[in-house]
Amino acid sequence: MKKAILCMLAGIAPLYLAAQNGYTITGQVGKLNKPAKAYLMVIKDGKQQMDSVFMNNGKFEFKGTVSSPSEANIRVKHDGQPDDPIKRNSYDIRALFVGNERITVVAKDSVKNSVISGSALNAENEKVTAFLKPIYAQYELLNKEYAAQPEAKKQDQSYIQTLEDRTKVIEKEIYEAKMAYIGKNPDKHMALMAFNSLLGPDFDVPVMEKTFASLNEPLRTSYMGKEVEAKIQKVKKTKEGVEATDFAQPDVDGKMVKLSDYRGKYVLIDFWASWCAPCRRENPNLVKAYEQYKGKGFEILGVSMDKASDKAKWLKAIQDDKLSWKQVGDLKGWDNEAGLLYDVKAIPMNFLIDPSGKIVAKYLRGEELNKKLEEIFGN
C-alpha cells in the first residue's frame, strides 16, 4: 500500500515564465573550497544535462538557458573522494526548478538545507506544495495505521477495502484541489505540472481535453505541453466505445495469438506480471469470474509485462495461480508492444472488449469486474 501511495506523491511543480536572457544560479554553501564541487543537473526537453564547478569560499555559479521551466537539482560534493560503488552514498542535494531568471541558493553547511530566493518559479512551487501538503499527509496517516495493525488484520480483505475507500476520498480531494488551482492559474507552469499529475491510468478524456485547452498557448506548446497532449491523444485510442487496436504476441509455447481471434466473445485483456503483488492478489478474483462466465462467451487474454530473464517466474506464476486462460507476452518488460499500444503505465491494468471488438470498460478490479460481468451475462 505504501508503495502505491508514494507513487501518487510525484509530479508537483512550478509556473511558466516567458523566455528571458537565460538563467543565472548563484550559490553560497558555507566556506567550502576546492576540491569541494557543485553540480547542476537540468532536464532540458526530456534530456539530462550536467554542469559542474569548483567551490570558491563557498560560492558557485551556473549560467544557461531553458526553453521552458525545467526540473533540476544542485548537488554539493564536500570533498574530492570518489563515491563508493559498494555502499549507499548519502548525497547533499537540493531539488529546484530552473526558469530563465536569477536564482539565489544559500545554506550554512548543506545545500539540502538551503533557502532559495529571487525565483518566482520556485516560490510558486513552494506555495502550491504547502497548499497540498495537508491533503497528502492523510496518506501517511493511513500508512501508519496500516503498519500498526497485527498481521491477521493486514490480510483482512474487509479492512483493506476500508483503506482503499478512504484512499479514494483523499484522491478525490487532491483532484478537486488541483483542478481548482488549474482553473485559477491557466498561465502558470505549475498548472501544467498539476494537470500532468492528474493523468492517471483512468482519467476522464473529455474533461481533461477541455481543461488542457483552457491553459494558455505558451504552456500548451512547451515541451511538456506537447508531451501532455500526446498522452491525451494516446489515451483517446483506449477510450470506451472505440475499436480496440489489434495485436499479436506469442503464447507460452511460442504460438502467435491475436486479439482479433476473440471476435464474437467478450474478452478481458489483462496486463500483469509475476512480480506484481497487486496483480497476484487480483488473480483469484479473475479465476472465479472466468469459471463463472467462460461458458457464456467470456474469455481472458493475459499479457505478461515480465522480462525474458523472468520467463520461468512467469510460467510458475501461471501454474501457482491456476490461470487456465491463454497467456501471451513478448517478454520485453515495460516495453511490451501491446502494453505500449494501450499506454500501460501501471499494472494490474485491463480492458474489456465486446464481441464487435470495441472497448466497453477498463481498469475493472474486484467487485467492479464482477458487477460488470453480471450486468452483461446476468447472475
Side-chain angles (χ1 to χ4, degrees), residues 39 59 66 90 95 133 163 166 179 182 190 211 229 267 290 294 320 324 353 365 377:
Y39 297 83
K59 293 181 173 62
V66 287
S90 179
K133 187 176 180 179
L163 292 178
R166 284 183 282 169
M179 288 294 278
I182 294 165
M190 167 61 103
T211 303
E229 184 174 23
V267 57
Y290 187 62
K294 67 179 180 179
D320 290 349
S324 58
I353 315 300
R365 295 177 62 186
F377 299 108

Side-chain angles (χ1 to χ4, degrees), residues 14 237 307 352:
K237 295 180 180 179
K307 294 180 179 179
L352 183 62

